[in-house]
Amino acid sequence: MTAALLNHALLDRALLDRATSAAIEVLEASDDIEFGVRLLANTPTHEGRDPALLRQWARTADEFGAALAPVAATARVVESGGGLAKGLLARYTSRPVPTVELFTDTLALADELIDRLGWRHWYPAGSVRAAAIAHEAVHEQLHHGPAKTALKRSLGHVVLRAGRHRLYGHVAGADEIAAHSYARTVCGLGRSPLLLTAALATAAEAAEPPYGSSHGSSQGSQYGSLHGSPHGRKK
């Protein structure tokens, strides 16, 4: 069976399930900030935080990412198979050379899902691949230099005060939300990549092996990972 036919059969199996279809409808009805809230809520260090604070941070990080100037992608881009088995759409490694690995089987399934759900107006042809590369390109800015400091100040998470001086703390997961927002903006997407990966995870969870998984749920799923792990990034 070809990959295209396999993807078609997989989605037929998943989308015919009423619970799966209903779950995807709930995802579609959620606003993009809500996906950022879920991402933060599923990130260690945020257990027990006020949901209102998480939403404030998610909105601030989203606005910050959308306002970033476009940056050129300098990492090497390679394509591989086996992403569905790994639960990954893309993965970044910094050594031996910065590389973005795109998993073509997951990309193909994502495109098939977009068409089946009628979301092509939100995710134009080729945009999922472009967004994965853009996401990784901007991470370098968010991890080093002025953008990292600016994001911290925007979030306003003060961990130490000494007179007029303030020390702003790191908000784990906020850089991911900013990177998703950046990718959405520069690639002209109508919705966040987080909606797509959440829907993709939901469909994959409903399918039989080899694509179903018991490693996580769609909530908090991130752009590189279908199971909620940290974007498939490696140092």
Side-chain angles (χ1 to χ4, degrees):
M1 184 180 290
T2 67
L5 288 175
L6 192 60
N7 285 345
H8 191 80
L10 167 64
L11 292 180
D12 274 342
R13 190 159 54 240
L15 297 180
L16 285 174
D17 179 75
R18 287 188 176 183
T20 302
S21 294
I24 291 177
E25 287 178 4
V26 170
L27 293 173
E28 184 176 357
S30 300
D31 66 21
D32 285 348
I33 302 302
E34 177 60 27
F35 293 108
V37 174
R38 295 181 189 187
L39 189 158
L40 292 177
N42 284 277
T43 299
T45 74
H46 296 319
E47 300 90 344
R49 289 200 192 274
D50 183 349
L53 176 60
L54 295 182
R55 189 166 186 87
Q56 175 188 322
W57 281 346
R59 184 177 298 281
T60 299
D62 182 86
E63 292 172 351
F64 184 91
L68 286 172
V71 296
T74 57
R76 183 174 65 116
V77 177
V78 299
E79 296 184 347
S80 304
L84 288 168
K86 296 181 179 73
L88 290 173
L89 193 151
R91 176 168 57 191
Y92 173 83
T93 53
S94 61
R95 292 188 292 265
V97 295
T99 301
V100 177
E101 184 178 13
L102 302 176
F103 294 100
T104 55
D105 55 338
T106 318
L107 285 170
L109 184 62
D111 273 324
E112 175 77 9
L113 181 63
I114 288 166
D115 287 333
R116 295 290 294 275
L117 295 175
W119 289 359
R120 187 56 71 189
H121 60 297
W122 287 337
Y123 305 101
S127 64
V128 178
R129 185 182 191 279
I133 296 171
H135 181 109
E136 299 300 350
V138 80
H139 260 297
E140 199 64 29
Q141 275 198 37
L142 295 172
H143 286 178
H144 307 284
K148 178 179 180 179
T149 301
L151 177 58
K152 281 185 176 183
R153 287 183 173 275
S154 295
L155 293 165
H157 179 40
V158 178
V159 295
L160 181 65
R161 297 175 188 268
R164 295 178 303 165
H165 301 286
R166 297 179 180 182
L167 178 63
Y168 293 93
H170 173 66
V171 176
D175 59 329
E176 282 294 328
I177 297 171
H180 286 302
S181 179
Y182 168 83
R184 182 193 70 222
T185 303
V186 299
C187 295
L189 307 184
R191 293 292 303 270
S192 170
L194 287 169
L195 166 61
L196 177 58
T197 49
L200 190 58
T202 300
E205 290 283 331
E208 296 175 2
Y211 300 137
S213 169
S214 60
H215 296 286
S217 69
S218 63
Q219 290 194 347
S221 294
Q222 301 186 34
Y223 187 80
S225 170
L226 306 187
H227 306 318
S229 62
H231 196 66
R233 296 177 63 82
K234 291 184 179 180
K235 295 300 182 184

